[in-house]
Every structure is written in C-alpha cells, then in structure tokens.
Amino acid sequence: MTDKTIFQKIMDGEMDADMLHDDEECVVIRDVNPQAPTHLLVIPKKLIPRISEGSQEDQTLLGHLLLVAKKVAREEELAEGFRIVVNNGPAGGESVPHLHVHVLGGRQMGWPPG
Ligand code: DGP
C-alpha cells in the first residue's frame, strides 16, 4: 500500500489545515507556505496524482476545480486579479503527488513565472 499524501491526511482529518471549502468533489485549504498574500489549494478528493494522469472521465471534476477556484477567489476578494497554477512533475515544480490547483493573489504577479 502506498503512503498517504499530506493532502489525503488533511482530507481524512488526520492533519489540520485552514479549510475554506468542502464539497463532495474537492476541498480548498490555505497553503502552509504562502507565495502570495492569498495562496489557496483546490484539491480533488479523488486521487489523481497529477494533471498528466487525468483522463476523459475526469472532465467534469477538472472543470469543477476551476469553478471552485473562481468562487474562492471571489470570496477572498481577489477582484484585481489572481493566478491559477498547476505544477506537473519534477520539472514543473510539483512536490505533492496529489493533483491540486494553486490560487494566488493579493500582489502583482510577474511573467514569465519562475
Ligand atoms: P506543489 O509544489 O505544486 O506540489 O504544491 C504543494 C503545496 O502544498 C506547496 O505550495 C506547499 C503546500 N503544502 C505542503 N504541505 C502542506 C501542509 O501540510 N499543509 C498545507 N496547508 N499546505 C501544504
């Protein structure tokens, strides 16, 4: 059996997190190491390790994650703008192998991203 990821432990109530949203498909927590004044993580309850392992059957779920990201960005009053990021694989900067959508805001974002 593979070890649970940090996000699975949070969703199973085994670790604490500041949770802003919880529905049948996903949760939203505050990132423990924020890279912007607001830094949220939208995490599907289904274990999809990374977006490159998503499949056609995940289409509705993946769309839901973006709509929830938009909802929490509005609730966090990021009306000036925000950035959505999905890191994929080692070169993409992924550190937790459970798909998650970063929502960052509250400061001016640069381009290109690092
Ligand atoms: P990524 O590098 O894209 O895999 O993002 C993983 C994020 O997860 C990273 O920004 C830090 C965050 N993170 C890691 N451990 C914890 C934790 O225990 N609690 C919370 N809230 N966030 C965590």
Side-chain angles (χ1 to χ4, degrees):
M1 196 176 89
T2 53
D3 288 339
K4 281 186 183 182
T5 66
I6 287 163
F7 296 159
Q8 192 62 56
K9 289 178 182 172
I10 289 171
M11 290 189 285
D12 289 348
E14 296 167 12
M15 281 181 63
D16 283 339
D18 187 2
M19 196 169 291
L20 288 76
H21 174 99
D22 183 0
D23 69 28
E24 283 191 3
E25 305 293 338
C26 71
V27 299
V28 180
I29 62 172
R30 286 192 199 280
D31 196 295
V32 79
N33 183 25
Q35 301 302 309
T38 299
H39 187 169
L40 313 175
L41 302 171
V42 185
I43 308 168
K45 291 186 174 175
K46 177 180 178 181
L47 174 52
I48 302 169
R50 55 196 56 82
I51 192 63
S52 61
E53 294 180 44
S55 63
Q56 198 60 37
E57 72 175 28
D58 300 317
Q59 178 168 309
T60 302
L61 172 60
L62 295 174
H64 181 67
L65 300 181
L66 290 178
L67 292 173
V68 170
K70 177 199 76 164
K71 179 185 88 81
V72 292
R74 186 177 63 238
E75 289 169 356
E76 290 290 300
E77 301 180 339
L78 301 179
E80 291 291 312
F82 56 90
R83 180 165 291 172
I84 287 174
V85 173
V86 178
N87 296 324
N88 193 102
E94 172 201 307
S95 61
V96 179
H98 184 138
L99 177 66
H100 48 284
V101 175
H102 296 258
V103 180
L104 300 125
R107 66 170 168 81
Q108 181 60 50
M109 298 295 157
W111 194 264

PDB file of all heavy atoms in Angstrom, residues 6-7 10 15-18 29-35 39 41 43 85-88 92-98 100 102, ligand 1:
ATOM      1  N   ILE A   6       0.165  14.157   2.126  1.00  0.00           N
ATOM      2  CA  ILE A   6      -0.240  15.169   3.112  1.00  0.00           C
ATOM      3  C   ILE A   6      -1.686  15.589   2.863  1.00  0.00           C
ATOM      4  O   ILE A   6      -2.473  15.743   3.801  1.00  0.00           O
ATOM      5  CB  ILE A   6       0.707  16.381   3.009  1.00  0.00           C
ATOM      6  CG1 ILE A   6       2.065  16.027   3.601  1.00  0.00           C
ATOM      7  CG2 ILE A   6       0.115  17.612   3.671  1.00  0.00           C
ATOM      8  CD1 ILE A   6       3.167  16.973   3.189  1.00  0.00           C
ATOM      9  N   PHE A   7      -2.047  15.769   1.612  1.00  0.00           N
ATOM     10  CA  PHE A   7      -3.404  16.244   1.308  1.00  0.00           C
ATOM     11  C   PHE A   7      -4.446  15.188   1.675  1.00  0.00           C
ATOM     12  O   PHE A   7      -5.541  15.523   2.148  1.00  0.00           O
ATOM     13  CB  PHE A   7      -3.528  16.645  -0.162  1.00  0.00           C
ATOM     14  CG  PHE A   7      -2.654  17.802  -0.552  1.00  0.00           C
ATOM     15  CD1 PHE A   7      -2.308  18.010  -1.877  1.00  0.00           C
ATOM     16  CD2 PHE A   7      -2.178  18.698   0.401  1.00  0.00           C
ATOM     17  CE1 PHE A   7      -1.504  19.081  -2.245  1.00  0.00           C
ATOM     18  CE2 PHE A   7      -1.373  19.766   0.048  1.00  0.00           C
ATOM     19  CZ  PHE A   7      -1.034  19.957  -1.289  1.00  0.00           C
ATOM     20  N   ILE A  10      -4.959  15.391   5.353  1.00  0.00           N
ATOM     21  CA  ILE A  10      -5.799  16.551   5.701  1.00  0.00           C
ATOM     22  C   ILE A  10      -7.267  16.222   5.419  1.00  0.00           C
ATOM     23  O   ILE A  10      -8.143  16.462   6.252  1.00  0.00           O
ATOM     24  CB  ILE A  10      -5.326  17.801   4.923  1.00  0.00           C
ATOM     25  CG1 ILE A  10      -3.971  18.273   5.489  1.00  0.00           C
ATOM     26  CG2 ILE A  10      -6.375  18.910   4.988  1.00  0.00           C
ATOM     27  CD1 ILE A  10      -3.293  19.355   4.666  1.00  0.00           C
ATOM     28  N   MET A  15      -4.671  15.447   9.761  1.00  0.00           N
ATOM     29  CA  MET A  15      -3.805  16.620   9.895  1.00  0.00           C
ATOM     30  C   MET A  15      -4.660  17.863   9.787  1.00  0.00           C
ATOM     31  O   MET A  15      -5.647  17.874   9.048  1.00  0.00           O
ATOM     32  CB  MET A  15      -2.731  16.653   8.782  1.00  0.00           C
ATOM     33  CG  MET A  15      -1.553  15.741   9.025  1.00  0.00           C
ATOM     34  SD  MET A  15      -0.356  15.877   7.683  1.00  0.00           S
ATOM     35  CE  MET A  15       0.143  17.587   7.844  1.00  0.00           C
ATOM     36  N   ASP A  16      -4.254  18.905  10.485  1.00  0.00           N
ATOM     37  CA  ASP A  16      -5.014  20.154  10.472  1.00  0.00           C
ATOM     38  C   ASP A  16      -4.684  20.989   9.238  1.00  0.00           C
ATOM     39  O   ASP A  16      -3.571  20.933   8.726  1.00  0.00           O
ATOM     40  CB  ASP A  16      -4.685  20.993  11.717  1.00  0.00           C
ATOM     41  CG  ASP A  16      -5.389  20.449  12.947  1.00  0.00           C
ATOM     42  OD1 ASP A  16      -6.389  19.735  12.775  1.00  0.00           O
ATOM     43  OD2 ASP A  16      -4.917  20.742  14.055  1.00  0.00           O
ATOM     44  N   ALA A  17      -5.663  21.741   8.806  1.00  0.00           N
ATOM     45  CA  ALA A  17      -5.457  22.733   7.750  1.00  0.00           C
ATOM     46  C   ALA A  17      -6.556  23.773   7.880  1.00  0.00           C
ATOM     47  O   ALA A  17      -7.627  23.494   8.430  1.00  0.00           O
ATOM     48  CB  ALA A  17      -5.509  22.082   6.374  1.00  0.00           C
ATOM     49  N   ASP A  18      -6.271  24.951   7.388  1.00  0.00           N
ATOM     50  CA  ASP A  18      -7.279  26.011   7.345  1.00  0.00           C
ATOM     51  C   ASP A  18      -8.120  25.770   6.100  1.00  0.00           C
ATOM     52  O   ASP A  18      -7.676  26.021   4.982  1.00  0.00           O
ATOM     53  CB  ASP A  18      -6.556  27.363   7.303  1.00  0.00           C
ATOM     54  CG  ASP A  18      -7.523  28.526   7.435  1.00  0.00           C
ATOM     55  OD1 ASP A  18      -8.737  28.275   7.591  1.00  0.00           O
ATOM     56  OD2 ASP A  18      -7.059  29.672   7.383  1.00  0.00           O
ATOM     57  N   ILE A  29      -7.925  24.538   0.813  1.00  0.00           N
ATOM     58  CA  ILE A  29      -7.193  24.876   2.039  1.00  0.00           C
ATOM     59  C   ILE A  29      -6.233  26.027   1.740  1.00  0.00           C
ATOM     60  O   ILE A  29      -5.906  26.304   0.581  1.00  0.00           O
ATOM     61  CB  ILE A  29      -6.394  23.678   2.597  1.00  0.00           C
ATOM     62  CG1 ILE A  29      -5.316  23.207   1.606  1.00  0.00           C
ATOM     63  CG2 ILE A  29      -7.333  22.531   2.967  1.00  0.00           C
ATOM     64  CD1 ILE A  29      -4.367  22.145   2.180  1.00  0.00           C
ATOM     65  N   ARG A  30      -5.783  26.689   2.819  1.00  0.00           N
ATOM     66  CA  ARG A  30      -4.709  27.680   2.662  1.00  0.00           C
ATOM     67  C   ARG A  30      -3.374  26.952   2.615  1.00  0.00           C
ATOM     68  O   ARG A  30      -3.130  26.047   3.423  1.00  0.00           O
ATOM     69  CB  ARG A  30      -4.717  28.674   3.834  1.00  0.00           C
ATOM     70  CG  ARG A  30      -5.829  29.644   3.738  1.00  0.00           C
ATOM     71  CD  ARG A  30      -5.694  30.796   4.711  1.00  0.00           C
ATOM     72  NE  ARG A  30      -6.994  31.421   4.869  1.00  0.00           N
ATOM     73  CZ  ARG A  30      -7.530  32.280   4.005  1.00  0.00           C
ATOM     74  NH1 ARG A  30      -6.849  32.649   2.933  1.00  0.00           N
ATOM     75  NH2 ARG A  30      -8.736  32.780   4.199  1.00  0.00           N
ATOM     76  N   ASP A  31      -2.510  27.379   1.696  1.00  0.00           N
ATOM     77  CA  ASP A  31      -1.176  26.800   1.583  1.00  0.00           C
ATOM     78  C   ASP A  31      -0.376  27.148   2.838  1.00  0.00           C
ATOM     79  O   ASP A  31      -0.399  28.285   3.312  1.00  0.00           O
ATOM     80  CB  ASP A  31      -0.474  27.337   0.329  1.00  0.00           C
ATOM     81  CG  ASP A  31       0.727  26.500  -0.063  1.00  0.00           C
ATOM     82  OD1 ASP A  31       1.703  26.466   0.709  1.00  0.00           O
ATOM     83  OD2 ASP A  31       0.688  25.878  -1.137  1.00  0.00           O
ATOM     84  N   VAL A  32       0.335  26.153   3.373  1.00  0.00           N
ATOM     85  CA  VAL A  32       1.100  26.350   4.601  1.00  0.00           C
ATOM     86  C   VAL A  32       2.337  27.223   4.360  1.00  0.00           C
ATOM     87  O   VAL A  32       2.883  27.792   5.302  1.00  0.00           O
ATOM     88  CB  VAL A  32       1.492  24.965   5.195  1.00  0.00           C
ATOM     89  CG1 VAL A  32       2.685  24.358   4.454  1.00  0.00           C
ATOM     90  CG2 VAL A  32       1.750  25.050   6.679  1.00  0.00           C
ATOM     91  N   ASN A  33       2.740  27.345   3.115  1.00  0.00           N
ATOM     92  CA  ASN A  33       3.934  28.115   2.753  1.00  0.00           C
ATOM     93  C   ASN A  33       3.561  29.123   1.661  1.00  0.00           C
ATOM     94  O   ASN A  33       3.969  29.001   0.506  1.00  0.00           O
ATOM     95  CB  ASN A  33       5.018  27.151   2.266  1.00  0.00           C
ATOM     96  CG  ASN A  33       6.311  27.843   1.935  1.00  0.00           C
ATOM     97  OD1 ASN A  33       6.614  28.929   2.456  1.00  0.00           O
ATOM     98  ND2 ASN A  33       7.096  27.242   1.053  1.00  0.00           N
ATOM     99  N   PRO A  34       2.767  30.142   2.033  1.00  0.00           N
ATOM    100  CA  PRO A  34       2.164  31.006   1.003  1.00  0.00           C
ATOM    101  C   PRO A  34       3.195  31.794   0.186  1.00  0.00           C
ATOM    102  O   PRO A  34       4.132  32.355   0.738  1.00  0.00           O
ATOM    103  CB  PRO A  34       1.262  31.939   1.819  1.00  0.00           C
ATOM    104  CG  PRO A  34       1.772  31.890   3.209  1.00  0.00           C
ATOM    105  CD  PRO A  34       2.367  30.528   3.401  1.00  0.00           C
ATOM    106  N   GLN A  35       2.952  31.819  -1.112  1.00  0.00           N
ATOM    107  CA  GLN A  35       3.806  32.550  -2.046  1.00  0.00           C
ATOM    108  C   GLN A  35       3.190  33.877  -2.472  1.00  0.00           C
ATOM    109  O   GLN A  35       3.714  34.567  -3.357  1.00  0.00           O
ATOM    110  CB  GLN A  35       4.079  31.676  -3.284  1.00  0.00           C
ATOM    111  CG  GLN A  35       4.746  30.348  -2.961  1.00  0.00           C
ATOM    112  CD  GLN A  35       6.079  30.525  -2.240  1.00  0.00           C
ATOM    113  OE1 GLN A  35       6.936  31.275  -2.698  1.00  0.00           O
ATOM    114  NE2 GLN A  35       6.249  29.854  -1.106  1.00  0.00           N
ATOM    115  N   HIS A  39      -2.960  32.490  -0.829  1.00  0.00           N
ATOM    116  CA  HIS A  39      -2.457  31.309  -1.546  1.00  0.00           C
ATOM    117  C   HIS A  39      -3.292  30.113  -1.100  1.00  0.00           C
ATOM    118  O   HIS A  39      -3.162  29.624   0.022  1.00  0.00           O
ATOM    119  CB  HIS A  39      -0.971  31.085  -1.250  1.00  0.00           C
ATOM    120  CG  HIS A  39      -0.345  29.996  -2.073  1.00  0.00           C
ATOM    121  ND1 HIS A  39       1.020  29.773  -2.127  1.00  0.00           N
ATOM    122  CD2 HIS A  39      -0.890  29.065  -2.894  1.00  0.00           C
ATOM    123  CE1 HIS A  39       1.275  28.758  -2.926  1.00  0.00           C
ATOM    124  NE2 HIS A  39       0.124  28.295  -3.398  1.00  0.00           N
ATOM    125  N   LEU A  41      -5.219  26.220  -2.117  1.00  0.00           N
ATOM    126  CA  LEU A  41      -5.052  24.990  -2.885  1.00  0.00           C
ATOM    127  C   LEU A  41      -6.413  24.327  -3.038  1.00  0.00           C
ATOM    128  O   LEU A  41      -7.085  24.052  -2.033  1.00  0.00           O
ATOM    129  CB  LEU A  41      -4.107  24.033  -2.155  1.00  0.00           C
ATOM    130  CG  LEU A  41      -2.699  24.551  -1.852  1.00  0.00           C
ATOM    131  CD1 LEU A  41      -1.974  23.571  -0.929  1.00  0.00           C
ATOM    132  CD2 LEU A  41      -1.898  24.758  -3.134  1.00  0.00           C
ATOM    133  N   ILE A  43      -8.180  21.026  -4.045  1.00  0.00           N
ATOM    134  CA  ILE A  43      -7.700  19.639  -4.081  1.00  0.00           C
ATOM    135  C   ILE A  43      -8.873  18.689  -4.315  1.00  0.00           C
ATOM    136  O   ILE A  43      -9.820  18.662  -3.506  1.00  0.00           O
ATOM    137  CB  ILE A  43      -7.007  19.275  -2.750  1.00  0.00           C
ATOM    138  CG1 ILE A  43      -5.937  20.313  -2.398  1.00  0.00           C
ATOM    139  CG2 ILE A  43      -6.420  17.875  -2.823  1.00  0.00           C
ATOM    140  CD1 ILE A  43      -5.419  20.184  -0.958  1.00  0.00           C
ATOM    141  N   VAL A  85      -2.400  28.061 -10.902  1.00  0.00           N
ATOM    142  CA  VAL A  85      -1.194  27.321 -11.292  1.00  0.00           C
ATOM    143  C   VAL A  85      -1.410  25.847 -10.984  1.00  0.00           C
ATOM    144  O   VAL A  85      -1.929  25.498  -9.923  1.00  0.00           O
ATOM    145  CB  VAL A  85       0.037  27.829 -10.503  1.00  0.00           C
ATOM    146  CG1 VAL A  85       1.262  26.951 -10.761  1.00  0.00           C
ATOM    147  CG2 VAL A  85       0.344  29.288 -10.829  1.00  0.00           C
ATOM    148  N   VAL A  86      -0.981  24.988 -11.915  1.00  0.00           N
ATOM    149  CA  VAL A  86      -0.923  23.548 -11.651  1.00  0.00           C
ATOM    150  C   VAL A  86       0.492  23.092 -11.989  1.00  0.00           C
ATOM    151  O   VAL A  86       0.902  23.143 -13.157  1.00  0.00           O
ATOM    152  CB  VAL A  86      -1.953  22.765 -12.495  1.00  0.00           C
ATOM    153  CG1 VAL A  86      -1.803  21.267 -12.221  1.00  0.00           C
ATOM    154  CG2 VAL A  86      -3.376  23.226 -12.199  1.00  0.00           C
ATOM    155  N   ASN A  87       1.254  22.701 -10.985  1.00  0.00           N
ATOM    156  CA  ASN A  87       2.606  22.193 -11.200  1.00  0.00           C
ATOM    157  C   ASN A  87       2.515  20.709 -11.530  1.00  0.00           C
ATOM    158  O   ASN A  87       1.789  19.962 -10.870  1.00  0.00           O
ATOM    159  CB  ASN A  87       3.455  22.400  -9.946  1.00  0.00           C
ATOM    160  CG  ASN A  87       3.658  23.873  -9.631  1.00  0.00           C
ATOM    161  OD1 ASN A  87       3.780  24.687 -10.540  1.00  0.00           O
ATOM    162  ND2 ASN A  87       3.693  24.217  -8.354  1.00  0.00           N
ATOM    163  N   ASN A  88       3.266  20.286 -12.541  1.00  0.00           N
ATOM    164  CA  ASN A  88       3.193  18.887 -13.000  1.00  0.00           C
ATOM    165  C   ASN A  88       4.585  18.290 -13.142  1.00  0.00           C
ATOM    166  O   ASN A  88       5.352  18.731 -13.989  1.00  0.00           O
ATOM    167  CB  ASN A  88       2.466  18.835 -14.338  1.00  0.00           C
ATOM    168  CG  ASN A  88       2.059  17.411 -14.734  1.00  0.00           C
ATOM    169  OD1 ASN A  88       0.900  17.042 -14.599  1.00  0.00           O
ATOM    170  ND2 ASN A  88       3.002  16.612 -15.196  1.00  0.00           N
ATOM    171  N   GLY A  92       8.203  20.640 -13.395  1.00  0.00           N
ATOM    172  CA  GLY A  92       7.109  21.598 -13.217  1.00  0.00           C
ATOM    173  C   GLY A  92       7.000  22.129 -11.799  1.00  0.00           C
ATOM    174  O   GLY A  92       6.149  22.974 -11.527  1.00  0.00           O
ATOM    175  N   GLY A  93       7.849  21.602 -10.903  1.00  0.00           N
ATOM    176  CA  GLY A  93       7.846  22.106  -9.530  1.00  0.00           C
ATOM    177  C   GLY A  93       6.858  21.411  -8.612  1.00  0.00           C
ATOM    178  O   GLY A  93       6.581  21.892  -7.515  1.00  0.00           O
ATOM    179  N   GLU A  94       6.334  20.268  -9.047  1.00  0.00           N
ATOM    180  CA  GLU A  94       5.378  19.530  -8.200  1.00  0.00           C
ATOM    181  C   GLU A  94       6.103  18.897  -7.010  1.00  0.00           C
ATOM    182  O   GLU A  94       7.156  18.296  -7.174  1.00  0.00           O
ATOM    183  CB  GLU A  94       4.727  18.441  -9.060  1.00  0.00           C
ATOM    184  CG  GLU A  94       3.853  17.469  -8.298  1.00  0.00           C
ATOM    185  CD  GLU A  94       3.666  16.173  -9.082  1.00  0.00           C
ATOM    186  OE1 GLU A  94       3.258  16.213 -10.253  1.00  0.00           O
ATOM    187  OE2 GLU A  94       3.967  15.109  -8.500  1.00  0.00           O
ATOM    188  N   SER A  95       5.521  19.064  -5.816  1.00  0.00           N
ATOM    189  CA  SER A  95       6.121  18.438  -4.630  1.00  0.00           C
ATOM    190  C   SER A  95       5.179  17.480  -3.909  1.00  0.00           C
ATOM    191  O   SER A  95       5.632  16.644  -3.141  1.00  0.00           O
ATOM    192  CB  SER A  95       6.619  19.511  -3.650  1.00  0.00           C
ATOM    193  OG  SER A  95       5.556  20.321  -3.201  1.00  0.00           O
ATOM    194  N   VAL A  96       3.892  17.597  -4.134  1.00  0.00           N
ATOM    195  CA  VAL A  96       2.920  16.677  -3.519  1.00  0.00           C
ATOM    196  C   VAL A  96       2.192  15.943  -4.652  1.00  0.00           C
ATOM    197  O   VAL A  96       1.517  16.584  -5.477  1.00  0.00           O
ATOM    198  CB  VAL A  96       1.901  17.434  -2.634  1.00  0.00           C
ATOM    199  CG1 VAL A  96       0.897  16.455  -2.025  1.00  0.00           C
ATOM    200  CG2 VAL A  96       2.615  18.207  -1.524  1.00  0.00           C
ATOM    201  N   PRO A  97       2.321  14.599  -4.702  1.00  0.00           N
ATOM    202  CA  PRO A  97       1.753  13.847  -5.823  1.00  0.00           C
ATOM    203  C   PRO A  97       0.258  13.570  -5.665  1.00  0.00           C
ATOM    204  O   PRO A  97      -0.194  12.411  -5.662  1.00  0.00           O
ATOM    205  CB  PRO A  97       2.584  12.561  -5.830  1.00  0.00           C
ATOM    206  CG  PRO A  97       2.919  12.342  -4.384  1.00  0.00           C
ATOM    207  CD  PRO A  97       3.112  13.721  -3.795  1.00  0.00           C
ATOM    208  N   HIS A  98      -0.491  14.633  -5.485  1.00  0.00           N
ATOM    209  CA  HIS A  98      -1.960  14.577  -5.467  1.00  0.00           C
ATOM    210  C   HIS A  98      -2.387  15.893  -6.108  1.00  0.00           C
ATOM    211  O   HIS A  98      -2.102  16.965  -5.558  1.00  0.00           O
ATOM    212  CB  HIS A  98      -2.466  14.446  -4.031  1.00  0.00           C
ATOM    213  CG  HIS A  98      -3.957  14.280  -3.909  1.00  0.00           C
ATOM    214  ND1 HIS A  98      -4.546  13.383  -3.037  1.00  0.00           N
ATOM    215  CD2 HIS A  98      -4.985  14.901  -4.540  1.00  0.00           C
ATOM    216  CE1 HIS A  98      -5.866  13.461  -3.144  1.00  0.00           C
ATOM    217  NE2 HIS A  98      -6.156  14.391  -4.052  1.00  0.00           N
ATOM    218  N   HIS A 100      -3.498  19.317  -7.421  1.00  0.00           N
ATOM    219  CA  HIS A 100      -4.026  20.486  -6.700  1.00  0.00           C
ATOM    220  C   HIS A 100      -3.855  21.710  -7.575  1.00  0.00           C
ATOM    221  O   HIS A 100      -2.875  21.829  -8.320  1.00  0.00           O
ATOM    222  CB  HIS A 100      -3.336  20.674  -5.346  1.00  0.00           C
ATOM    223  CG  HIS A 100      -1.842  20.598  -5.406  1.00  0.00           C
ATOM    224  ND1 HIS A 100      -1.182  19.405  -5.543  1.00  0.00           N
ATOM    225  CD2 HIS A 100      -0.890  21.565  -5.385  1.00  0.00           C
ATOM    226  CE1 HIS A 100       0.124  19.640  -5.586  1.00  0.00           C
ATOM    227  NE2 HIS A 100       0.325  20.939  -5.507  1.00  0.00           N
ATOM    228  N   HIS A 102      -3.322  25.646  -7.506  1.00  0.00           N
ATOM    229  CA  HIS A 102      -2.953  26.800  -6.688  1.00  0.00           C
ATOM    230  C   HIS A 102      -3.765  28.012  -7.142  1.00  0.00           C
ATOM    231  O   HIS A 102      -3.900  28.265  -8.347  1.00  0.00           O
ATOM    232  CB  HIS A 102      -1.473  27.162  -6.884  1.00  0.00           C
ATOM    233  CG  HIS A 102      -0.488  26.127  -6.432  1.00  0.00           C
ATOM    234  ND1 HIS A 102       0.196  26.218  -5.250  1.00  0.00           N
ATOM    235  CD2 HIS A 102      -0.061  24.985  -7.021  1.00  0.00           C
ATOM    236  CE1 HIS A 102       1.010  25.188  -5.125  1.00  0.00           C
ATOM    237  NE2 HIS A 102       0.883  24.423  -6.190  1.00  0.00           N
TER     238      HIS A 102
HETATM  239  P1  DGP B   1       3.300  21.727  -5.395  1.00  0.00           P
HETATM  240  O1  DGP B   1       4.713  22.159  -5.189  1.00  0.00           O
HETATM  241  O2  DGP B   1       2.640  22.317  -6.627  1.00  0.00           O
HETATM  242  O3  DGP B   1       3.185  20.211  -5.320  1.00  0.00           O
HETATM  243  O4  DGP B   1       2.488  22.342  -4.178  1.00  0.00           O
HETATM  244  C1  DGP B   1       2.379  21.728  -2.938  1.00  0.00           C
HETATM  245  C2  DGP B   1       1.953  22.805  -1.969  1.00  0.00           C
HETATM  246  O5  DGP B   1       1.482  22.198  -0.791  1.00  0.00           O
HETATM  247  C3  DGP B   1       3.082  23.748  -1.548  1.00  0.00           C
HETATM  248  O6  DGP B   1       2.792  25.066  -2.018  1.00  0.00           O
HETATM  249  C4  DGP B   1       3.080  23.707  -0.032  1.00  0.00           C
HETATM  250  C5  DGP B   1       1.776  23.032   0.300  1.00  0.00           C
HETATM  251  N1  DGP B   1       1.843  22.193   1.465  1.00  0.00           N
HETATM  252  C6  DGP B   1       2.753  21.223   1.723  1.00  0.00           C
HETATM  253  N2  DGP B   1       2.497  20.643   2.902  1.00  0.00           N
HETATM  254  C7  DGP B   1       1.390  21.250   3.388  1.00  0.00           C
HETATM  255  C8  DGP B   1       0.634  21.064   4.583  1.00  0.00           C
HETATM  256  O7  DGP B   1       0.923  20.227   5.434  1.00  0.00           O
HETATM  257  N3  DGP B   1      -0.432  21.887   4.761  1.00  0.00           N
HETATM  258  C9  DGP B   1      -0.795  22.830   3.828  1.00  0.00           C
HETATM  259  N4  DGP B   1      -1.858  23.585   4.102  1.00  0.00           N
HETATM  260  N5  DGP B   1      -0.108  23.015   2.685  1.00  0.00           N
HETATM  261  C10 DGP B   1       0.974  22.229   2.474  1.00  0.00           C
END
